[in-house]
């Protein structure tokens, strides 16, 4: 950590030790010594099933696998000029791996995630030595009193919690002019395909870490696009589940209507394995009870190479025409899907953009204030107890928390009333009815199995002064409806990944996984990133 940044952070936290904290504000021009002549990472692109086979054959232990990933994190992520996707390493990771190796040696294997290193976004509670901060210095030094529900499930499945990933602070619900992947605590995460490019979305660290082979799997969270966008920009698979399939208990909230966590992996099979491990009914999140009878504990059984055969796939209106290179990628994707037996129906409309009005943002502002105030009340050792406290903290520590962009979203949310307000209820009705009715109607009238669209364009240069430069995207219909969405790598523009999203109705994860897997296996698009300093296009 640079001395100047350490002094700033210490003044706020009282010199609390930060595990794995990076403090580089912007990408440097350093090459971090990564080039094609360098020896490849020993576990590069290994899937969870390959790691499982290696442990079963005694080629590697879980501890050895974790040590290799930790060494890579130190060399390629947390070094000067590195990826900066990891905000904190779990000091107990190797002990957890030892315990799981011992279990395996005694003939007990919990399942496909036994001994597999997983990292999670730093807005998900862990009742251990790691902090949960949403990237904010306002929560630095504070630990959650207990594991989030999905973390309990993850531990029960035998995964090794390797660490936490950086994110856009407060899951990108802070400023109208922010840089995705920037937080006061973690600073700027970078894109592994070009370190001067943005990793997109609030789950930026989760996307960059798993793509850059810093771990086997990651978990991100999404309100609108924060799983699928970083998955697309970092060239990985991301699953945004139906709201309620995974519990939101112990996750720093934005919206009780739209929030969900979900898996991110380098393959559909890996993401599907993680998806099934974290399902379950949770009394602390009553929405999960709607999933009873609709969830699967093993989604890998839906991995079908013939999953496109006979499927009717709608092409979202507006997919073509954003960028000629992206258009070419999508045209090739259409051809690949048709070659695998799918029928494509073009120009599908799921809603009129104007039908939402301003309700989409207003809904989130109301729910964020209500949810964050309740969450902070559950953190006994946190220095901030309300959204108003967070706003004041940022003002008092502006040199660290607001060196580039302000906190307009936080301030606007603080002005909102309660969820009993009629204004809130009207916004909720508009958002949910328009989005769900739009998708349901499109699926039914066209007899569709799913709808596809461009997840997002190629990553833009990091710009902490002017903020993000989003091009296109298709996350909103599934996000606002609470319906599932999967993105899978579809192609590259000058070496930068572009993903294709596949979404459908409530609890249609099995069908989407089948379609995504068939497309992935037919195209095999993903290429491992090289952590290049820049693309050198001009």
């Amino acid at each position: 950590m640079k001395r100047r940044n350490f002094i700033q952070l210490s003044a706020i936290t009282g010199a609390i030790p930060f595990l794995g904290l990076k403090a580089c504000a912007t990408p440097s021009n350093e090459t971090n010594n990564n080039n094609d002549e360098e020896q490849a990472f020993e576990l590069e692109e290994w899937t969870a099933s390959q790691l499982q086979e290696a442990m079963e054959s005694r080629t590697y232990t879980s501890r050895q696998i974790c040590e290799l990933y930790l060494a890579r994190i130190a060399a390629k992520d947390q070094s000067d000029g590195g990826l900066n996707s990891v905000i904190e390493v779990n000091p107990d990771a190797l002990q957890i791996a030892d315990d799981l190796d011992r279990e395996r040696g005694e003939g007990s294997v919990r399942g496909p995630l036994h001994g597999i290193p997983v990292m999670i976004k730093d807005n998900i509670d862990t009742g251990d030595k790691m902090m949960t901060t949403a990237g904010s210095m306002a929560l630095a030094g504070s630990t959650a009193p207990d594991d989030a529900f999905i973390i309990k499930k993850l531990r029960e499945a035998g995964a090794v919690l390797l660490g936490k990933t950086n994110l856009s602070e407060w899951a990108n619900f802070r400023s109208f002019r922010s840089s995705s992947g920037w937080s006061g605590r973690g600073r700027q995460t970078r894109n592994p395909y070009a370190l001067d490019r943005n990793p997109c979305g609030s789950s930026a660290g989760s996307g960059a870490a798993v793509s850059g082979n810093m771990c086997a799997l990651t978990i991100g969270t999404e309100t609108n696009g924060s799983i699928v966008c970083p998955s697309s920009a970092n060239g990985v698979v991301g699953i945004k589940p139906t709201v309620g399939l995974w519990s939101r208990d112990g996750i720093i909230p934005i919206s009780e209507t739209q929030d969900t966590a979900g898996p991110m992996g380098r393959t559909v099979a890996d993401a599907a394995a993680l998806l099934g491990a974290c399902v379950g009914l949770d009394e602390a999140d009553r929405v999960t009870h709607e999933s009873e009878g609709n969830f699967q504990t093993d989604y890998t059984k839906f991995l079908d190479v013939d999953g496109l055969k006979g499927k009717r796939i709608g092409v979202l209106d507006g997919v073509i025409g954003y960028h000629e290179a992206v258009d070419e990628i999508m045209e090739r994707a259409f051809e690949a899907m048709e070659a695998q037996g799918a029928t494509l129906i073009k120009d599908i409309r799921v809603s009129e953009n104007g039908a939402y009005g301003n309700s989409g943002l207003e809904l989130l502002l109301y729910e964020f204030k209500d949810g964050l105030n309740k969450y902070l009340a559950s953190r006994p050792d946190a220095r901030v107890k309300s959204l108003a406290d967070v706003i004041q903290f940022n003002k008092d520590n502006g040199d660290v928390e607001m060196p580039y962009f302000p906190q307009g979203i936080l301030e606007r949310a603080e002005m909102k009333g309660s969820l009993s307000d009629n204004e809130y209820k009207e916004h909720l009705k508009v958002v949910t009815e328009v989005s769900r009715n739009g998708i349901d109607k499109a699926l039914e009238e066209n007899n569709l199995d799913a709808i596809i669209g461009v997840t997002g364009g190629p990553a833009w240069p990091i710009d902490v002064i002017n903020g993000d430069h989003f091009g296109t995207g298709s996350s909103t219909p599934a996000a606002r409806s609470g319906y599932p969405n999967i993105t899978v790598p579809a192609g590259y523009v000058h070496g930068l990944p572009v993903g294709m999203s596949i979404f459908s109705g409530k609890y249609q994860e099995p069908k989407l996984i089948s379609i995504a897997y068939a497309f992935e296996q037919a195209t095999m698009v993903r290429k491992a990133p090289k952590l290049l300093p820049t693309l050198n296009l001009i």
Side-chain angles (χ1 to χ4, degrees):
M1 182 187 299
K2 294 179 175 62
R3 176 174 172 77
R4 176 176 173 272
N5 286 324
F6 177 77
I7 292 171
Q8 288 177 325
L9 301 183
S10 297
I12 296 172
T13 64
I16 293 168
F18 285 81
L19 305 174
L21 174 65
K22 291 294 294 174
C24 352
T26 55
S28 74
N29 292 321
E30 299 174 45
T31 64
N32 82 338
N33 298 318
N34 190 23
N35 55 58
D36 291 337
E37 297 178 0
E38 194 173 335
Q39 184 176 357
F41 175 49
E42 197 169 334
L43 302 177
E44 183 170 270
E45 298 295 282
W46 278 41
T47 64
S49 61
Q50 287 175 314
L51 292 172
Q52 201 61 246
E53 290 170 6
M55 287 185 284
E56 191 64 28
S57 67
R58 304 297 194 266
T59 305
Y60 290 99
T61 62
S62 176
R63 182 187 180 94
Q64 289 170 330
I65 290 169
C66 290
E67 286 175 336
L68 286 168
Y69 280 122
L70 290 170
R72 180 164 174 81
I73 290 167
K76 300 299 181 184
D77 191 271
Q78 300 196 328
S79 57
D80 285 343
L83 189 59
N84 200 39
S85 65
V86 180
I87 201 168
E88 186 167 355
V89 168
N90 187 356
D92 296 325
L94 295 181
Q95 182 59 58
I96 294 170
D98 285 341
D99 293 341
L100 291 165
D101 284 332
R102 189 175 304 109
E103 284 187 23
R104 186 184 295 274
E106 295 168 353
S108 176
V109 176
R110 303 186 190 190
L113 296 184
H114 189 109
I116 302 295
V118 179
M119 286 201 284
I120 67 168
K121 187 175 178 179
D122 181 39
N123 62 345
I124 305 173
D125 285 353
T126 55
D128 54 18
K129 296 172 185 174
M130 292 189 292
M131 293 175 275
T132 304
T133 70
S136 172
M137 291 304 299
L139 286 176
S142 172
T143 57
D146 194 12
D147 283 342
F149 180 87
I150 61 170
I151 300 305
K152 293 175 184 175
K153 300 289 289 186
L154 193 64
R155 294 190 199 272
E156 290 170 6
V160 178
L161 190 50
L162 194 64
K164 292 195 174 184
T165 55
N166 194 23
L167 70 161
S168 309
E169 188 171 318
W170 298 115
N172 227 3
F173 206 68
R174 197 193 87 167
S175 173
F176 293 104
R177 200 186 68 243
S178 62
S179 172
S180 287
W182 189 95
S183 72
R185 180 183 169 208
R187 317 316 271 186
Q188 182 67 55
T189 295
R190 302 159 187 167
N191 191 301
Y193 287 89
L195 295 173
D196 59 355
R197 296 272 166 167
N198 196 281
C200 191
S202 77
S203 303
S206 294
V210 72
S211 180
N213 284 274
M214 304 298 161
C215 58
L217 285 158
T218 57
I219 292 178
T221 67
E222 173 163 330
T223 304
N224 187 345
S226 287
I227 288 175
V228 296
C229 182
S231 295
S232 173
N234 293 284
V236 298
V237 175
I239 302 179
K240 197 282 289 187
T242 301
V243 171
L245 190 70
W246 278 18
S247 169
R248 284 86 55 82
D249 170 59
I251 300 176
I252 299 176
I254 293 177
S255 166
E256 67 177 52
T257 301
Q258 294 177 204
D259 284 353
T260 183
M264 302 168 76
R266 292 184 291 273
T267 67
V268 175
D270 279 2
L274 181 51
L275 180 65
C278 295
V279 300
L281 308 183
D282 180 15
E283 288 300 321
D285 184 359
R286 294 294 299 175
V287 180
T288 60
H289 287 255
E290 297 175 11
S291 72
E292 189 168 12
N294 292 305
F295 69 76
Q296 306 283 333
T297 56
D298 179 12
Y299 284 93
T300 63
K301 62 186 178 184
F302 301 107
L303 300 171
D304 182 4
V305 292
D306 295 321
L308 279 163
K309 190 173 294 184
K311 295 295 191 300
R312 287 177 59 84
I313 310 293
V315 179
L316 192 65
D317 182 47
V319 164
I320 300 298
Y322 153 69
H323 187 295
E324 66 280 358
V326 176
D327 293 349
E328 185 178 339
I329 287 171
M330 292 307 295
E331 291 290 356
R332 289 200 300 267
F334 299 158
E335 293 172 5
M337 297 179 92
E338 289 174 330
Q340 294 300 308
T343 300
L344 268 60
I345 297 85
K346 303 287 182 70
D347 301 323
I348 296 296
R349 308 190 89 175
V350 295
S351 66
E352 297 291 340
N353 289 334
Y356 293 107
N358 197 40
S359 288
L361 175 60
E362 293 297 307
L363 174 74
L364 301 187
L365 293 170
Y366 268 101
E367 293 187 343
F368 177 68
K369 178 182 179 181
D370 178 79
L372 185 62
N373 284 343
K374 289 175 180 174
Y375 174 83
L376 290 175
S378 74
R379 294 284 295 270
D381 67 343
R383 78 186 73 226
V384 288
K385 301 300 182 184
S386 67
L387 173 57
D389 288 350
V390 173
I391 292 169
Q392 189 59 50
F393 178 91
N394 290 343
K395 290 178 180 178
D396 294 341
N397 299 278
D399 55 340
V400 173
E401 275 294 333
M402 297 191 292
Y404 305 116
F405 38 84
Q407 55 179 342
I409 292 178
L410 299 187
E411 292 169 342
R412 189 161 162 184
E414 176 59 22
M415 297 170 63
K416 295 301 177 186
S418 74
L419 301 191
S420 62
D421 289 359
N422 288 332
E423 182 184 15
Y424 164 72
K425 294 175 182 177
E426 285 300 315
H427 291 312
L428 176 63
K429 181 179 179 181
V430 168
V431 170
T432 54
E433 287 188 0
V434 170
S435 56
R436 293 172 189 172
N437 292 346
I439 293 176
D440 292 343
K441 182 179 179 181
L443 293 171
E444 182 179 357
E445 289 186 350
N446 297 281
N447 191 27
L448 301 177
D449 293 287
I451 300 169
I452 60 173
V454 178
T455 310
W460 56 92
I462 291 171
D463 186 348
V464 295
I465 297 173
N466 296 303
D468 292 332
H469 311 304
F470 290 106
T472 188
S474 60
S475 65
T476 296
R480 286 180 170 166
S481 65
Y483 288 176
N485 189 7
I486 298 181
T487 182
V488 62
Y492 294 84
V493 176
H494 295 295
L496 296 172
V498 172
M500 180 181 72
S501 282
I502 312 164
F503 60 93
S504 190
K506 201 171 189 178
Y507 299 116
Q508 292 301 306
E509 283 85 357
K511 184 180 290 185
L512 296 182
I513 287 169
S514 179
I515 292 170
Y517 182 73
F519 176 79
E520 174 194 61
Q521 295 302 301
T523 56
M524 300 300 287
V525 166
R526 176 173 162 82
K527 303 171 186 175
K530 300 298 183 184
L531 279 71
L532 301 174
T534 186
L535 295 178
N536 285 321
L537 296 178
I538 56 175

